[in-house]
């Protein structure tokens, strides 16, 4: 099997983790009677990932050139501090369905950034794929769901949009440095800088956390958010970004609602309708169009 196959498999697994994360992370926060404030949750995510990446990093010792330190510092802000901070805080102020829909903007943003700032190429296949993928994802997300875009969720929705743009910038800017170094080496430095940036914002929330109110399910959920959604998902995404272009990596976000729906149906919590099959087909075709090589529009 080719390295591209493993890259696509990594992206699929990352989206499976992300699809589960919306509700799990939301249930940890006070709005759902959870014990962890949003800023404290981000603090735990970043700190846990720093520890894990640096432990694994002992087996991948690699020297970073001085000229790349500033790039890693920028990526730590975009891909960790801003990305995670605005996502979790935004999720605490809005609904999971709102966040999922807004995050669909990431592939579009990635493509636009690549074209406008980095002379990327925009082919008809990628444009068609993004249209089909986003259409399919929207159909799934808004099918029998309580999507509520209004004043009560405006701040949370705005924060989620900032997170989406920050993540898109991260994926475009990080690709050259990810191709240059080992994935673990890049991740350990990015998370270290991200942790230093976020430390002043999250420490107060951490000190106010009531650990005695944690149930066993809360500890399991927090472990999943740290180990699964942060450590493994970032590792899988970054590995894929090393092998594939940033637009392809971003396009896999369309699969999240498809996976969430599949999980719900398999657990007997949802039913399969023709509209969902149609939406799933649009997503699969869209991601395939974005991933394949194509002739470029001049």
């Amino acid at each position: 099997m080719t390295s591209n196959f493993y890259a696509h498999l990594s992206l699929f697994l990352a989206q499976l983790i992300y699809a589960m994360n919306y509700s799990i992370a939301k249930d940890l926060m006070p709005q759902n009677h959870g014990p962890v404030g949003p800023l404290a949750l981000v603090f735990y995510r970043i700190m846990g990932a720093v520890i894990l990446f640096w432990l694994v990093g002992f087996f991948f010792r690699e020297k970073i050139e001085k000229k790349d330190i500033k790039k890693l510092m920028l990526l730590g802000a975009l891909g960790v501090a801003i990305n995670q901070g605005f996502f979790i805080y935004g999720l605490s102020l809005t609904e999971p369905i709102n966040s999922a829909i807004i995050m669909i903007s990431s592939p579009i943003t990635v493509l636009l950034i690549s074209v406008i700032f980095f002379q990327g190429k925009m082919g008809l296949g990628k444009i068609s794929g993004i249209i089909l993928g986003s259409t399919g994802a929207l159909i799934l997300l808004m099918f029998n769901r309580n999507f509520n875009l209004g004043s009560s969720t405006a701040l949370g929705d705005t924060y989620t949009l900032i997170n989406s743009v920050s993540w898109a910038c991260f994926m475009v800017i990080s690709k050259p440095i990810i191709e240059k170094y080992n994935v673990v080496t890049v991740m350990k430095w990015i998370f270290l800088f991200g942790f230093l940036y976020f430390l002043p914002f999250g420490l107060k929330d951490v000190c106010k956390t009531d650990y005695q109110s944690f149930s066993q399910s809360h500890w399991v959920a927090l472990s999943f958010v740290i180990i699964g959604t942060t450590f493994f998902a970032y590792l899988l995404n970054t590995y894929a970004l090393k092998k594939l272009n940033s637009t392809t990596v971003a396009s896999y976000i369309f699969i999240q609602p498809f996976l969430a729906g599949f999980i719900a149906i398999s657990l007997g919590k949802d039913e399969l309708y023709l509209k969902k099959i149609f939406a799933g087909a649009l997503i699969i075709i869209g991601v395939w169009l974005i991933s394949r090589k194509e002739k470029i529009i001049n």
Side-chain angles (χ1 to χ4, degrees), residues 23-264:
S23 296
I24 292 175
K26 183 79 174 180
D27 288 342
L28 277 168
M29 291 185 279
Q31 287 76 5
N32 281 30
H33 309 290
V36 186
L39 296 181
L41 183 56
V42 177
F43 183 94
Y44 295 136
R45 284 188 68 176
I46 300 175
M47 183 180 70
V50 168
I51 294 170
L52 291 171
F53 277 120
W54 277 85
L55 285 174
V56 176
F58 281 113
F59 301 97
F60 299 92
R61 296 190 179 185
E62 190 175 17
K63 189 175 181 180
I64 297 290
E65 294 182 22
K66 288 184 178 180
K67 64 178 182 178
D68 291 326
I69 295 295
K70 288 184 178 179
K71 296 176 185 176
L72 290 169
M73 292 173 68
L74 173 62
L75 294 175
L78 291 173
V80 178
I82 296 174
N83 171 46
Q84 292 201 27
F86 278 95
F87 173 74
I88 293 294
Y89 202 69
L91 184 61
S92 73
L93 299 174
T94 188
E95 298 298 326
I97 180 65
N98 289 35
S99 293
I101 288 175
I102 293 168
M103 286 301 294
I104 290 174
S105 66
S106 284
I108 302 169
T109 309
V110 166
L111 188 58
L112 290 176
I113 292 172
S114 299
V115 171
I116 296 171
F117 296 103
F118 297 94
Q119 289 80 50
K121 303 299 183 180
M122 184 183 294
L124 183 60
K126 283 186 170 54
I127 297 171
S128 302
I130 285 176
I131 292 172
L132 289 175
S134 56
T135 300
L138 283 169
I139 291 172
L140 282 178
L141 287 168
M142 301 182 73
F143 187 75
N144 290 335
R145 302 286 185 87
N146 295 319
F147 176 58
N148 177 29
L149 190 63
S151 58
S152 62
T153 64
L155 185 59
D157 295 336
T158 302
Y159 285 166
T160 305
L161 183 60
I162 293 172
N163 151 67
S164 177
V165 174
S166 175
W167 181 243
C169 292
F170 170 81
M171 281 194 286
V172 176
I173 297 172
S174 66
K175 185 163 177 60
I177 206 162
I178 288 171
E179 290 177 337
K180 184 175 181 179
Y181 298 104
N182 182 277
V183 170
V184 175
T185 301
V186 175
M187 286 294 99
K188 74 177 189 179
W189 284 106
I190 286 175
F191 270 91
L192 178 60
F193 288 126
F195 179 71
L196 294 176
Y197 295 143
F198 197 79
L199 185 62
F201 301 98
L203 199 56
K204 184 178 179 181
D205 231 18
V206 169
C207 293
K208 293 191 299 182
T209 302
D210 180 13
Y211 296 97
Q212 293 183 345
S213 66
F214 272 63
S215 65
Q216 184 177 357
S217 63
H218 288 141
W219 286 113
V220 172
L222 182 60
S223 299
F224 175 83
V225 170
I226 293 171
I227 300 172
T229 313
T230 313
F231 177 72
F232 278 115
Y234 266 82
L235 199 59
L236 291 167
N237 260 321
T238 310
Y239 169 76
L241 190 57
K242 195 178 185 76
K243 307 293 182 181
L244 306 171
N245 65 67
S246 53
T247 308
T248 299
V249 174
S251 72
Y252 264 77
I253 198 170
F254 296 143
I255 297 178
Q256 285 183 29
F258 174 78
L259 292 174
F262 180 80
I263 292 169

